[in-house]
Amino acid sequence: MTTADRKPRAFSGIQPTSDSFHLGNYLGALRQWVPIQDTADAFYCVVDLHAITVDHEPKVLHERSRVSAAQLLALGLDPEKCSLFVQSQVPEHPMLAWILGCETGFGEAGRMTQFKDKSAKQERTTVGLFTYPVLQAADILLYQTEQVPVGEDQRQHLELSRDLAVRFNTTYGSTFKVPEARIVKETATIKDLSEPEKKMSKSSPSPRGCVYLLDEPGQIRKKIKSAVTDSEAEVRYDVERKPGVSNLLNIYAALGDTTVAKLEAEYAGKGYGDFKGDLAEVVVEAIGPITRRTKEYLADRAELDRILAQGAERARQVASRTLAKAYKKVGFFPPAAL
């Protein structure tokens, strides 16, 4: 295969910190993963090492990692087209993270906004949470990644990955590819249905603020119909004055394969009731197949685990070569075979 024929390398990961992914995860990043596997050599990872930077129950984490993998397959990832695995299956991730941590400034790590946000919300802040972005950089750089499909909220972490790649290459010689972000602008950040000034999150203060991919149809309809709007009755896009309606328009346009402008015209003169009712059905129709397929994958856990083991084997083939190169550059002995 010539250089021109080679597919670009893509990598992305997601934490298994909830019983289900939510609509913000799906529209902000996960939906991009599916077409990318057709155009890139794609590696997708359930990042369970990142999940233990906060308190957790081991059995719950293990189960959530499996459910996360099942959802990713249900979304359309094909193990014949991409490598899907769980991060802890590939020990090269923390091994490279140590090297990169020694290249990262203390102040540089402390400026990461997600560390500030997460540390402010919990009583105990760990070193692992502080160095989380360094491990994320290792995740990306291990695979000589060129494209990183992520949500807008991860842009700062990706910039650190780029900085560390350039710094290491400058100090020790060419070792890592410098990755580029791949972010969908229109749906980069889906907002909370109850507090549309905030992004949709599993930690939403209201259980109705977050739509999960494994929600039942009745739950979805109830959440959409109770979504915060405003005292007007005009379906119009205005992020500053009408953040709730604007968020719903973004969701509708993304899932309904249409545009905000067309939706504004379609619902001109109609109230929020009609708009929300139609949107609820669009969301149910989009999420329903994902829920069904997830249950099918979870019904055959042996096959699911086989898929993950296969993905991890492929991932280790690539990751071990990168790690060996980095080890040699910094003066380490080569890692022993595991």
Side-chain angles (χ1 to χ4, degrees):
M1 181 182 295
T2 66
T3 302
D5 294 330
R6 186 184 65 81
K7 289 183 177 181
R9 181 72 51 74
F11 175 91
S12 200
I14 187 166
Q15 286 198 52
T17 52
S18 182
D19 294 328
S20 171
F21 299 138
H22 57 68
L23 199 57
N25 299 139
Y26 177 52
L27 294 178
L30 296 180
R31 193 167 67 160
Q32 297 183 69
W33 292 14
V34 179
I36 288 173
Q37 69 183 348
D38 293 321
T39 60
D41 182 15
F43 289 77
Y44 296 130
C45 182
V46 177
V47 289
D48 56 343
L49 298 185
H50 291 285
I52 69 169
T53 57
V54 296
D55 292 338
H56 73 287
E57 291 290 336
K59 289 183 179 179
V60 173
L61 173 62
H62 190 80
E63 179 62 15
R64 284 177 171 176
S65 296
R66 184 179 274 115
V67 172
S68 295
Q71 286 183 85
L72 292 173
L73 291 167
L75 290 170
L77 294 191
D78 184 343
E80 298 303 316
K81 295 181 178 180
C82 69
S83 300
L84 174 64
F85 60 100
V86 177
Q87 186 184 28
S88 58
Q89 294 179 297
V90 182
E92 285 81 2
H93 286 254
M95 296 167 76
L96 180 59
W98 173 254
I99 294 176
L100 297 180
C102 294
E103 298 295 322
T104 307
F106 186 84
E108 190 174 30
R111 287 191 293 273
M112 297 292 106
T113 55
Q114 285 211 359
F115 169 72
K116 294 177 182 178
D117 293 343
K118 291 182 178 181
S119 60
K121 295 177 182 177
Q122 55 194 63
E123 294 181 5
R124 187 175 71 97
T125 300
T126 66
V127 173
L129 181 61
F130 184 72
T131 59
Y132 171 110
V134 179
L135 176 57
Q136 190 175 59
D139 299 337
I140 294 167
L141 300 183
L142 262 178
Y143 299 96
Q144 303 296 348
T145 304
E146 293 152 288
Q147 301 177 0
V148 186
V150 293
E152 179 64 41
D153 61 328
Q154 293 296 323
R155 184 184 290 276
Q156 187 190 36
H157 286 179
L158 182 61
E159 286 303 315
L160 177 64
S161 301
R162 289 171 52 83
D163 291 343
L164 289 176
V166 171
R167 186 176 306 157
F168 192 96
N169 290 346
T170 301
T171 303
Y172 299 105
S174 180
T175 307
F176 302 115
K177 291 283 181 66
V178 180
E180 298 285 345
R182 182 165 175 170
I183 297 172
V184 175
K185 302 297 183 183
E186 295 82 356
T187 55
T189 304
I190 297 300
K191 303 296 185 179
D192 186 282
L193 299 184
S194 298
E195 298 186 46
E197 296 79 14
K198 300 178 180 179
K199 73 175 184 177
M200 186 173 285
S201 169
K202 66 182 184 300
S203 59
S204 172
S206 169
R208 295 183 180 181
C210 187
V211 176
Y212 292 97
L213 299 189
L214 298 185
D215 276 347
E216 295 297 329
Q219 292 175 294
I220 295 171
R221 293 187 180 98
K222 190 172 183 179
K223 289 178 180 181
I224 296 295
K225 291 179 181 179
S226 65
V228 168
T229 50
D230 49 60
S231 59
E232 298 179 11
E234 183 182 5
V235 179
R236 175 171 54 85
Y237 193 86
D238 186 334
V239 174
E240 292 188 5
R241 297 180 180 180
K242 300 169 74 69
V245 175
S246 299
N247 184 46
L248 296 178
L249 281 167
N250 277 334
I251 294 171
Y252 201 144
L255 293 178
D257 193 26
T258 185
T259 65
V260 168
K262 288 181 180 179
L263 290 171
E264 288 178 316
E266 181 180 345
Y267 289 95
K270 298 180 181 180
Y272 292 154
D274 290 338
F275 173 62
K276 287 183 174 181
D278 292 346
L279 172 58
E281 296 311 311
V282 168
V283 177
V284 167
E285 185 177 347
I287 289 180
I290 298 172
T291 303
R292 290 192 295 274
R293 289 195 294 266
T294 298
K295 292 177 180 178
E296 291 171 0
Y297 280 110
L298 290 173
D300 189 350
R301 300 197 169 207
E303 173 60 12
L304 179 56
D305 289 352
R306 185 198 67 78
I307 290 172
L308 293 174
Q310 173 185 289
E313 182 179 358
R314 171 85 207 296
R316 290 209 65 197
Q317 290 174 359
V318 177
S320 62
R321 290 196 295 269
T322 300
L323 184 70
K325 190 174 183 180
Y327 262 45
K328 183 176 182 179
K329 289 291 180 69
V330 300
F332 287 171
F333 281 70
L338 297 176

Coordinates of all heavy atoms in Angstrom, one line a residue, residues 15 17 50-56 114-132 202-203:
Q15 N -15.8 7.6 28.6 CA -15.8 7.0 29.9 C -17.1 6.2 30.2 O -18.2 6.5 29.7 CB -15.7 8.0 31.0 CG -14.4 8.7 31.1 CD -14.2 9.4 32.5 OE1 -14.5 8.8 33.5 NE2 -13.8 10.6 32.4
T17 N -18.9 6.0 32.9 CA -19.2 6.5 34.2 C -20.7 6.6 34.5 O -21.1 7.1 35.5 CB -18.5 7.8 34.5 OG1 -18.9 8.7 33.4 CG2 -17.0 7.7 34.6
H50 N -9.7 6.2 33.1 CA -10.1 7.5 33.5 C -11.2 7.5 34.5 O -11.4 8.4 35.3 CB -10.5 8.3 32.2 CG -9.4 8.6 31.3 ND1 -8.5 9.6 31.5 CD2 -9.1 8.1 30.1 CE1 -7.7 9.7 30.5 NE2 -8.0 8.7 29.6
A51 N -12.0 6.4 34.4 CA -13.2 6.4 35.3 C -12.9 6.2 36.8 O -13.7 6.6 37.6 CB -14.1 5.2 34.8
I52 N -11.7 5.8 37.1 CA -11.4 5.6 38.5 C -10.7 6.9 39.1 O -10.2 6.8 40.2 CB -10.5 4.4 38.8 CG1 -9.1 4.5 38.2 CG2 -11.2 3.1 38.2 CD1 -8.2 3.4 38.7
T53 N -10.7 8.0 38.4 CA -10.2 9.2 39.0 C -11.2 9.8 40.0 O -10.9 10.7 40.7 CB -10.0 10.3 37.9 OG1 -11.2 10.5 37.2 CG2 -8.9 9.8 36.9
V54 N -12.4 9.2 40.1 CA -13.4 9.5 41.1 C -13.8 8.2 41.8 O -13.5 7.2 41.3 CB -14.6 10.2 40.5 CG1 -14.2 11.6 39.9 CG2 -15.3 9.4 39.4
D55 N -14.5 8.4 42.9 CA -14.9 7.2 43.6 C -15.7 6.3 42.7 O -16.6 6.8 42.0 CB -15.7 7.5 44.9 CG -14.8 8.2 45.9 OD1 -13.6 8.0 45.9 OD2 -15.3 9.0 46.8
H56 N -15.6 5.0 42.9 CA -16.3 4.0 42.1 C -16.5 2.7 42.8 O -15.7 2.4 43.7 CB -15.6 3.8 40.7 CG -14.4 3.0 40.8 ND1 -13.2 3.4 41.4 CD2 -14.2 1.7 40.5 CE1 -12.3 2.5 41.4 NE2 -12.9 1.4 40.8
Q114 N -11.4 21.1 32.9 CA -12.2 20.0 33.4 C -11.7 19.6 34.8 O -12.4 19.2 35.7 CB -12.1 18.8 32.5 CG -13.0 19.0 31.3 CD -13.6 17.7 30.7 OE1 -13.3 16.6 31.2 NE2 -14.4 17.8 29.7
F115 N -10.4 19.7 35.1 CA -9.8 19.4 36.4 C -10.4 20.4 37.4 O -10.8 20.1 38.5 CB -8.3 19.5 36.4 CG -7.7 19.5 37.8 CD1 -7.7 18.3 38.6 CD2 -7.2 20.7 38.4 CE1 -7.2 18.3 39.9 CE2 -6.7 20.6 39.7 CZ -6.7 19.5 40.4
K116 N -10.4 21.7 37.0 CA -11.0 22.7 37.9 C -12.5 22.4 38.2 O -12.9 22.5 39.4 CB -10.8 24.1 37.3 CG -9.4 24.5 37.2 CD -9.3 25.9 36.5 CE -7.9 26.3 36.3 NZ -7.8 27.6 35.5
D117 N -13.2 22.1 37.2 CA -14.6 21.8 37.4 C -14.9 20.6 38.2 O -15.7 20.6 39.2 CB -15.3 21.6 36.0 CG -15.3 22.9 35.2 OD1 -15.1 24.0 35.8 OD2 -15.5 22.8 34.0
K118 N -14.2 19.5 37.9 CA -14.5 18.3 38.6 C -13.9 18.3 40.1 O -14.6 17.8 41.0 CB -13.8 17.1 37.9 CG -14.5 16.8 36.6 CD -13.9 15.6 35.9 CE -14.6 15.3 34.6 NZ -14.1 14.1 33.9
S119 N -12.8 18.9 40.3 CA -12.2 19.0 41.6 C -13.1 19.9 42.6 O -13.1 19.6 43.8 CB -10.8 19.5 41.6 OG -10.7 20.8 41.1
A120 N -13.8 20.8 42.0 CA -14.6 21.7 42.8 C -15.9 21.0 43.2 O -16.6 21.4 44.2 CB -15.0 22.9 42.0
K121 N -16.2 19.9 42.6 CA -17.5 19.2 42.9 C -17.3 18.0 43.8 O -18.3 17.4 44.2 CB -18.1 18.7 41.5 CG -18.5 19.8 40.6 CD -19.1 19.2 39.3 CE -19.4 20.3 38.3 NZ -19.9 19.8 37.0
Q122 N -16.1 17.7 44.2 CA -15.9 16.6 45.1 C -15.0 16.9 46.3 O -14.1 17.8 46.2 CB -15.4 15.4 44.3 CG -14.1 15.7 43.5 CD -13.8 14.6 42.5 OE1 -14.5 14.3 41.6 NE2 -12.7 13.9 42.7
E123 N -15.2 16.2 47.3 CA -14.4 16.4 48.6 C -13.0 16.0 48.4 O -12.1 16.7 48.9 CB -15.0 15.7 49.7 CG -16.5 16.2 50.1 CD -17.0 15.5 51.3 OE1 -16.3 14.6 51.9 OE2 -18.2 15.7 51.6
R124 N -12.7 14.9 47.8 CA -11.3 14.4 47.7 C -10.9 14.5 46.2 O -11.5 13.9 45.3 CB -11.3 12.9 48.1 CG -9.9 12.3 48.2 CD -10.0 10.9 48.8 NE -10.6 10.0 47.8 CZ -9.9 9.2 47.0 NH1 -8.6 9.2 47.0 NH2 -10.5 8.4 46.2
T125 N -9.8 15.2 46.0 CA -9.2 15.3 44.7 C -7.9 14.5 44.6 O -7.0 14.7 45.4 CB -8.9 16.8 44.4 OG1 -10.1 17.6 44.5 CG2 -8.3 17.0 43.0
T126 N -7.9 13.6 43.6 CA -6.7 12.7 43.5 C -5.7 13.2 42.5 O -6.0 14.0 41.6 CB -7.2 11.3 43.1 OG1 -7.7 11.4 41.7 CG2 -8.3 10.8 44.0
V127 N -4.5 12.7 42.6 CA -3.4 12.9 41.6 C -3.9 12.4 40.3 O -3.6 13.0 39.2 CB -2.1 12.3 42.1 CG1 -1.1 12.4 41.0 CG2 -1.6 12.9 43.4
G128 N -4.6 11.3 40.3 CA -5.1 10.8 39.0 C -6.0 11.7 38.3 O -5.9 11.9 37.0
L129 N -6.9 12.4 39.0 CA -7.7 13.4 38.4 C -6.9 14.6 37.8 O -7.2 15.1 36.7 CB -8.8 14.0 39.4 CG -9.8 15.0 38.9 CD1 -10.6 14.4 37.8 CD2 -10.6 15.5 40.0
F130 N -5.9 15.0 38.5 CA -5.0 16.1 38.1 C -4.3 15.7 36.8 O -4.1 16.5 35.9 CB -4.0 16.4 39.2 CG -3.1 17.6 38.9 CD1 -3.6 18.9 38.9 CD2 -1.8 17.4 38.6 CE1 -2.8 20.0 38.6 CE2 -1.0 18.5 38.3 CZ -1.5 19.8 38.3
T131 N -3.8 14.4 36.7 CA -3.0 14.0 35.5 C -3.9 13.4 34.5 O -3.4 12.8 33.5 CB -1.9 13.0 36.0 OG1 -2.5 11.9 36.6 CG2 -0.9 13.7 36.9
Y132 N -5.2 13.4 34.6 CA -6.1 12.8 33.7 C -5.8 13.2 32.2 O -5.8 12.4 31.3 CB -7.5 13.3 34.1 CG -8.7 13.0 33.2 CD1 -9.7 12.0 33.5 CD2 -8.9 13.7 32.0 CE1 -10.8 11.8 32.7 CE2 -10.0 13.5 31.2 CZ -10.9 12.6 31.5 OH -12.0 12.3 30.7
K202 N -24.7 13.7 32.8 CA -25.3 12.7 33.7 C -25.4 13.2 35.1 O -26.2 12.7 35.9 CB -24.4 11.4 33.7 CG -23.0 11.6 34.3 CD -22.2 10.4 34.3 CE -20.9 10.6 35.0 NZ -20.1 11.6 34.4
S203 N -24.7 14.3 35.4 CA -24.8 14.9 36.8 C -25.8 16.0 36.8 O -25.8 16.9 37.7 CB -23.4 15.4 37.2 OG -22.9 16.4 36.3

